[in-house]
Amino acid sequence: MSARAHDPAGPPATAEPRPQVHEVGSFETTEHEAPDPRSFRAFLATPRAVGDGTDPTVQIVDTPEARVRHPSDLVGIVLCALGVALVMFMSVYAHGTTAGVAEDVQGFSDLLARILFIPVAVLEGLVTLAIPTAVLIELGIRKLGRQVVESIAAAAIGMLLGIAMTYSVLTFGSADLIQGLSVRIRGEWQLSIPGYVAAISGLLTAAGPRTRRRTVAWSWNLLFIALGVVLITAQVSLPGAIITLLLGRIAGNAVRWVSGVRSERAYGPHLVDGVRRAGYSPTALVRVRDVSQPAELAEAAEDPITEVNADGEITGEVHVGVVRIAGTDEDSALTADARITGDHLSGALGDGVSEPAEAPSDPAAIALTRSGDNRVYAMFTEDGVRRDVVVLDGDRQVVGFITRFWRSLRLRGIEGRAAISLKAVAERTALLAYAARAAGVRTPRLLGVAEADDSMILVQEHAVGAVSLRDLPDDEVTDAVLTEAWHQIQLAHDAGLSHRALTSDVMLVSRGEPGGASTHPAGTGTDPASATVDLRPEGAEAGPDDSEVKVWLTGWEQGDIASSELSRRMDLTQMVALLALRVGAQRAVASAVSVLPNEDIAAIGPLLQSIALPVSTREEMRANKELFKDLRAALVERLPETDVEPQRITRFGARTIITLTLTIVAVTVVVTTMNFQQIAEAVSQANPWWAVISFALGILTWFGAALTFVAFSPVKLPMIRATLTQMAGSFVALAAPAGIGPAALNLRMLTKRNVSTPMAVATVALVQVSQFVITILLLVVLSMTARSGGLIKLPSTTVLLAITGVALAVIATLLVPAVRRWVLAKIRPTVQQVWPRLSEMLSQPGRLALGFGGNIIMTLGYVLAFDAALAAFGQELALVDVAVIYLVGNAAGAAVPTPGGLGTIEIALTAGLTAAGIPPAIATSATILFRVATYWARIPIGWAAMRFLQRKGDL
């Protein structure tokens, strides 16, 4: 068998006049010029013998990528850098153990070094000379000149990194770090970071994987043996050897990432061979590209037509270039226009087919490329049927694996993916495709799978005439489309499947007779379950004919078999958000209600949050920030009893990571700056009774906060329950930033007592605003009534001028309209929340005074507890100074989102006391005592209060 004849004069005439095509590239010629018998065009025009039992000649329209950047190289750089940091850390903190072992075996090592002197010297010679020579010779024999240069560059960079590491450790490293990386040679400690090991490691890394180069595999083994010998003979330290190996890996991976590596993807003859082993004999393979993007159009114009014969040999290659249809200014390419495809590939489209029904890059195929980071080809065979070929490349799977792992790690109830290898990914993709098809879901049938080079090839049916939801015109997103979409996802859920990545590119819509594959009767009008409900507003014009509407769900590779309830609920949430972006919240929810049972509708509300959506849908939702609110309102309107309060489905978020990082940094700074000997001496001389008084005053703050909460509450609250809520806030402060925990518990308690959410938020905001106001007023009063102290003396003229200049700068800045608008935008929501509740409280002066009194008790309780902690060490400051130091430290703790202000408050309080004239050791001791009395010691009490309130149903 072979390719069909191609008429050099163009395709046959049709009923409609065909526009003339201007060919740019090697095909360009005059209209009546006879083709050169040696040219590729003449070869296409030559009739081929049919029925000779061989595979047909294949025409491929694609540009192979000679070099690619492998994401695993970048991952390797990051992991090796982290490994270097970890080894250096362990060499310091585990130095005692390693030094003891080294001392114990020192004598034995010296003896081995004398006995193995000659073998060690020979081994070092092999490592330094034989390994590079053998590897470079093999690369040269294979004619890989560029890789030879890359390997030498990686060796040089590895050597430089080793030298730089040695210099940095000697210059900036601590004594413990230097000793941890040193070995005792002839009675003296010498730093051992062998740069030649980093050079050899870098060379071998850049030379390629050990599975592809025999000399590389043997060289790695020899290098490890050599390192083992020098470790045993105590010529290098274990941390130093590991660090140099990792530095070499960093150098090699960096060179590979910057320069790129030789592509091992299946292109050209390898691609054809893979398709044939999947069970098909293609006559043409055309790369699908989204030519609506200028960059993609440029790439499509560069795609040559390559001919591969039955023996897998390239017999010709022609560059077509950009094609412009006569009479228009529109540029196009072979893959984007069926007429151009027919002109150049008519002999390879199948028996009797001179022009494909659709362009190779039709909407369905383009959606397939956008839905996954894979190559897609339009495949034509001699039977005239167009199919799609999806190619999974091994180098692209690293990012996909990391993304899936991160998402499963972050989300609750989502299992991780065991598919790491390329073959496992392809097998899982095939399994999900077969399972969805068996469940009755309309999805393209998977026809064949094969492996070729570092690629897996999947052949599947083509959804002829289908258009993705993204590209579907607004007037064609009818009620029948919405209803059929819900029917399709319901079919999958009934079989225990979940999709987990519903986007506007995996949902395709077609009308009329399907050209590729009809998989299920849903939507044909014969199935009663497919009946649609008219969801259009009254008086709206009739849309397109929906008698044969069909919805396809593709892209099942991220899905689950025997999926969890959470996964299926996330599918429903993704679907309703996807449809709402096109037709609005009301119609999207109405379409769901017309198909799904009430319990499924109720399950959508708590998951209406960004983290439950795919990245593409999430980005679209960010552009329409009110859509989440509209969806919740539509759900409540349909089912008034529905709970739409967001459910926590993440184990951690960006705030958690930032909080944890800041906590570690703060604790590290506090611990490393403390003089524990001076602190121990100060603590031994402290008065324990003042410590008890500090703890008791801290307990008083709970009563003050509860008094304010009761006074401002719109419903009657028992004082004991309000006090217990403030106690529970001390336990929540272990995980929440300062001030956030108690506010969240106050809000929770109000909502549990049937206070509406807006009213509860306004009440909590009023409590916080009143605390701020009382704090400022207390500072003013204390400043006016207290005696002069170290912090309230009249500043110097220079300081006064500086303060005046800053004040003028602030005033001038606020006069700028943009800044003024920004400030008002930040303040206005709080004012709008608080003002209705505040205006109501102003009519009840008794409760307002009670609330302010509670704030005074709470603030003074903390200030006096801080003063008592200072008095425990025999120190005394003016009360206004103590108040200023405490309030500034507390504000710093609230500004930095660490749990309970951990680290930040300690640093700020210690610095404030030191500035006021307290010795640093005593200032640190007083701060620690205060934090123990008002933070750490109250956590167990808060936990007991939290458990009690939870059992009583108050939280």
Side-chain angles (χ1 to χ4, degrees):
M1 294 182 293
S2 61
R4 293 293 175 266
H6 174 70
D7 183 4
T14 58
E16 296 180 2
R18 177 179 301 279
Q20 296 297 318
V21 179
H22 172 64
E23 302 172 358
V24 181
S26 300
F27 275 159
E28 184 177 1
T29 183
T30 58
E31 183 176 358
H32 302 290
E33 181 182 358
D36 187 342
R38 296 169 298 175
S39 68
F40 186 62
R41 187 174 181 185
F43 178 82
L44 295 178
T46 304
R48 306 289 200 272
V50 180
D52 57 1
T54 63
D55 289 315
T57 299
V58 185
Q59 298 180 36
I60 306 173
V61 182
D62 189 18
T63 302
E65 294 188 45
R67 306 188 69 84
V68 296
R69 284 188 170 89
H70 206 304
S72 62
D73 294 329
L74 187 59
V75 174
I77 294 173
V78 175
L79 293 180
C80 289
L82 293 176
V84 170
L86 179 62
V87 171
M88 295 179 70
F89 176 83
M90 295 300 296
S91 67
V92 173
Y93 288 95
H95 173 66
T97 302
T98 57
V101 174
E103 290 290 342
D104 293 338
V105 302
Q106 182 63 45
F108 179 68
S109 299
D110 293 340
L111 177 61
L112 279 178
R114 288 193 294 269
I115 295 175
L116 301 177
F117 173 73
I118 294 178
V120 168
V122 173
L123 199 57
E124 289 179 349
L126 288 175
V127 170
T128 54
L129 296 177
I131 286 180
T133 303
V135 172
L136 294 178
I137 287 176
E138 182 184 1
L139 294 177
I141 292 175
R142 293 175 179 268
K143 299 181 180 181
L144 302 175
R146 177 167 177 169
Q147 203 160 354
V148 170
V149 176
E150 292 171 353
S151 300
I152 295 174
I157 295 173
M159 178 69 76
L160 291 176
L161 288 177
I163 296 173
M165 177 62 69
T166 302
Y167 174 79
S168 301
V169 170
L170 290 174
T171 305
F172 306 107
S174 64
D176 290 337
L177 177 61
I178 294 175
Q179 192 170 0
L181 299 177
S182 302
V183 293
R184 187 184 292 273
I185 300 178
R186 289 186 289 274
E188 295 182 358
W189 288 99
Q190 295 183 11
L191 183 65
S192 61
I193 303 179
Y196 75 92
V197 175
I200 299 300
S201 176
L203 182 143
L204 296 179
T205 301
R210 59 189 303 160
T211 56
R212 303 251 176 173
R213 308 273 188 272
R214 179 169 297 182
T215 57
V216 171
W218 281 103
S219 297
W220 276 116
N221 296 335
L222 189 60
L223 178 61
F224 291 143
I225 293 172
L227 285 176
V229 171
V230 296
L231 282 172
I232 293 174
T233 56
Q235 297 185 43
V236 66
S237 66
L238 178 60
I242 296 175
I243 286 175
T244 50
L245 279 174
L246 294 176
L247 290 176
R249 296 288 294 178
I250 291 174
N253 284 323
V255 170
R256 287 167 58 90
W257 173 256
V258 172
S259 178
V261 296
R262 292 185 65 206
S263 174
E264 297 179 355
R265 303 173 182 175
Y267 284 105
H270 301 282
L271 176 63
V272 173
D273 181 62
V275 174
R276 286 170 177 168
R277 281 189 281 110
Y280 287 86
S281 296
T283 55
L285 290 167
V286 183
R287 179 74 175 269
V288 175
R289 299 187 185 275
D290 185 4
V291 293
S292 61
Q293 305 296 327
E296 287 283 326
L297 176 61
E299 289 187 17
E302 294 296 326
D303 289 341
I305 302 177
T306 304
E307 182 173 276
V308 177
N309 64 14
D311 297 326
E313 300 172 346
I314 297 178
T315 57
E317 182 175 295
V318 174
H319 290 267
V320 180
V322 177
V323 178
R324 179 173 298 174
I325 299 176
T328 70
D329 295 330
E330 181 181 357
D331 292 337
S332 187
L334 186 151
T335 186
D337 193 296
R339 295 165 295 182
I340 302 172
T341 306
D343 286 340
H344 298 296
L345 301 179
S346 60
L349 300 178
D351 293 332
V353 180
S354 60
E355 179 181 306
E358 295 177 300
S361 295
D362 65 343
I366 292 175
L368 189 58
T369 63
R370 290 192 302 231
S371 63
D373 191 19
N374 303 310
R375 288 183 284 147
V376 178
Y377 295 84
M379 182 180 77
F380 301 93
T381 55
E382 290 190 333
D383 59 6
V385 178
R386 183 257 177 89
R387 299 173 181 87
D388 291 330
V389 174
V390 180
V391 182
L392 311 180
D393 295 315
D395 58 89
R396 297 173 183 260
Q397 302 307 311
V398 176
V399 175
F401 170 74
I402 294 175
T403 302
R404 291 191 297 269
F405 176 76
W406 171 255
R407 188 168 176 83
S408 63
L409 185 67
R410 188 181 179 192
L411 293 180
R412 301 175 185 270
I414 302 296
E415 297 180 356
R417 291 289 181 274
I420 299 178
S421 67
L422 176 63
K423 191 171 184 179
V425 172
E427 289 173 347
R428 183 176 183 84
T429 301
L431 175 64
L432 265 296
Y434 286 133
R437 182 84 178 187
V441 180
R442 185 176 292 106
T443 190
R445 180 187 289 110
L446 184 62
L447 303 173
V449 181
E451 184 176 10
D453 289 347
D454 192 29
S455 300
M456 291 297 297
I457 297 171
L458 287 74
V459 180
Q460 65 182 42
E461 289 178 324
H462 177 65
V464 177
V467 180
S468 68
L469 183 64
R470 176 192 293 194
D471 300 324
L472 195 66
D474 291 340
D475 60 347
E476 294 188 19
V477 187
T478 60
D479 300 334
V481 171
L482 305 182
T483 304
E484 181 63 10
W486 288 111
H487 277 302
Q488 292 298 311
I489 198 64
Q490 191 177 36
L491 286 171
H493 288 180
D494 289 344
L497 305 178
S498 65
H499 192 285
R500 289 184 52 182
L502 290 170
T503 67
S504 56
D505 287 319
V506 304
M507 179 176 166
L508 308 180
V509 180
S510 63
R511 287 182 169 84
E513 285 297 324
S518 177
T519 66
H520 196 268
T524 61
T526 60
D527 187 354
S530 302
T532 61
V533 179
D534 189 359
L535 308 173
R536 293 171 303 190
E538 185 176 354
E541 295 182 1
D545 180 17
D546 289 330
S547 58
E548 293 293 336
V549 66
K550 292 175 176 59
V551 171
W552 305 65
L553 293 183
T554 65
W556 287 91
E557 58 270 12
Q558 298 292 335
D560 279 329
I561 294 177
S563 59
S564 64
E565 180 185 358
L566 178 60
S567 296
R568 295 192 292 273
R569 290 174 58 198
M570 289 178 67
D571 276 357
L572 301 179
T573 304
Q574 293 174 9
M575 180 65 80
V576 76
L578 189 63
L579 298 180
L581 285 168
R582 294 302 310 270
V583 300
Q586 289 290 342
R587 281 188 65 193
V589 172
S591 65
V593 170
S594 68
V595 177
L596 303 179
N598 287 345
E599 56 267 22
D600 285 350
I601 300 297
I604 294 175
L607 297 185
L608 281 173
Q609 42 191 307
S610 296
I611 188 61
L613 305 178
V615 175
S616 59
T617 309
R618 197 181 311 163
E619 293 174 353
E620 293 183 64
M621 293 293 286
R622 286 173 184 164
N624 192 350
K625 298 181 179 180
E626 297 298 318
L627 193 54
F628 274 132
K629 185 190 300 183
D630 296 341
L631 282 169
R632 294 189 183 101
L635 286 172
V636 173
E637 181 181 346
R638 293 281 177 171
L639 295 176
E641 301 300 324
T642 300
D643 181 13
V644 295
E645 183 178 351
Q647 173 186 345
R648 182 175 176 81
I649 60 175
T650 57
R651 294 187 177 96
F652 57 86
R655 180 182 293 273
T656 306
I657 296 176
I658 294 173
T659 299
L660 180 61
T661 303
L662 292 176
T663 301
I664 294 173
V665 171
V667 172
T668 302
V669 171
V670 170
V671 171
T672 55
T673 55
M674 286 182 178
N675 188 325
F676 290 99
Q677 183 177 358
Q678 294 181 0
I679 293 174
E681 294 176 358
V683 170
S684 64
Q685 301 173 3
N687 187 334
W689 291 108
W690 280 113
V692 174
I693 293 173
S694 178
F695 178 74
L697 290 170
I699 296 296
L700 184 64
T701 61
W702 285 337
F703 175 76
L707 196 63
T708 302
F709 185 36
V710 170
F712 291 159
S713 173
V715 296
K716 186 176 181 180
L717 295 177
M719 187 65 187
I720 183 64
R721 294 295 174 87
T723 304
L724 288 172
T725 303
Q726 309 314 307
M727 291 180 179
S730 299
F731 173 69
V732 177
L734 188 63
I740 301 298
L745 291 183
N746 289 343
L747 182 64
R748 182 68 175 171
M749 189 174 193
L750 290 175
T751 54
K752 279 289 187 178
R753 292 180 176 269
N754 297 323
V755 178
S756 64
T757 301
M759 178 60 73
V761 171
T763 301
V764 173
L766 180 59
V767 170
Q768 293 179 313
V769 170
S770 67
Q771 290 174 358
F772 175 77
V773 172
I774 291 301
T775 299
I776 300 299
L777 292 177
L778 276 177
L779 278 176
V780 174
V781 171
L782 289 174
S783 301
M784 295 175 61
T785 58
R787 297 177 182 178
S788 60
L791 294 180
I792 59 172
K793 294 179 181 178
L794 184 65
S796 63
T797 303
T798 303
V799 175
L800 286 175
L801 289 175
I803 294 174
T804 303
V806 172
L808 291 175
V810 171
I811 294 173
T813 303
L814 291 177
L815 293 177
V816 177
V819 177
R820 186 169 62 251
R821 286 193 297 269
W822 180 82
V823 173
L824 291 176
K826 293 294 182 182
I827 296 176
R828 187 178 293 111
T830 303
V831 174
Q832 290 175 344
Q833 284 182 343
V834 173
W835 179 250
R837 185 66 185 143
L838 179 60
S839 60
E840 183 179 346
M841 292 301 301
L842 290 175
S843 63
Q844 305 176 53
R847 295 179 63 183
L848 189 63
L850 188 64
F852 285 165
N855 283 325
I856 293 173
I857 293 173
M858 183 184 69
T859 304
L860 281 179
Y862 279 119
V863 172
L864 293 175
F866 188 39
D867 191 44
L870 193 59
F873 296 92
Q875 301 294 319
E876 184 179 357
L877 286 177
L879 189 60
V880 65
D881 291 349
V882 176
V884 169
I885 294 171
Y886 163 73
L887 294 172
V888 170
N890 192 56
V896 180
T898 58
L902 189 63
T904 311
I905 291 180
E906 285 80 359
I907 294 173
L909 295 181
T910 303
L913 291 176
T914 304
I918 305 297
I922 295 179
T924 303
S925 302
T927 299
I928 293 176
L929 176 60
F930 171 70
R931 290 290 282 166
V932 169
T934 60
Y935 180 69
W936 294 106
R938 305 200 307 179
I939 289 174
I941 303 174
W943 175 81
M946 171 77 80
R947 297 284 294 177
F948 175 81
L949 292 173
Q950 287 177 337
R951 286 197 302 267
K952 296 297 182 180
D954 288 320
L955 291 179

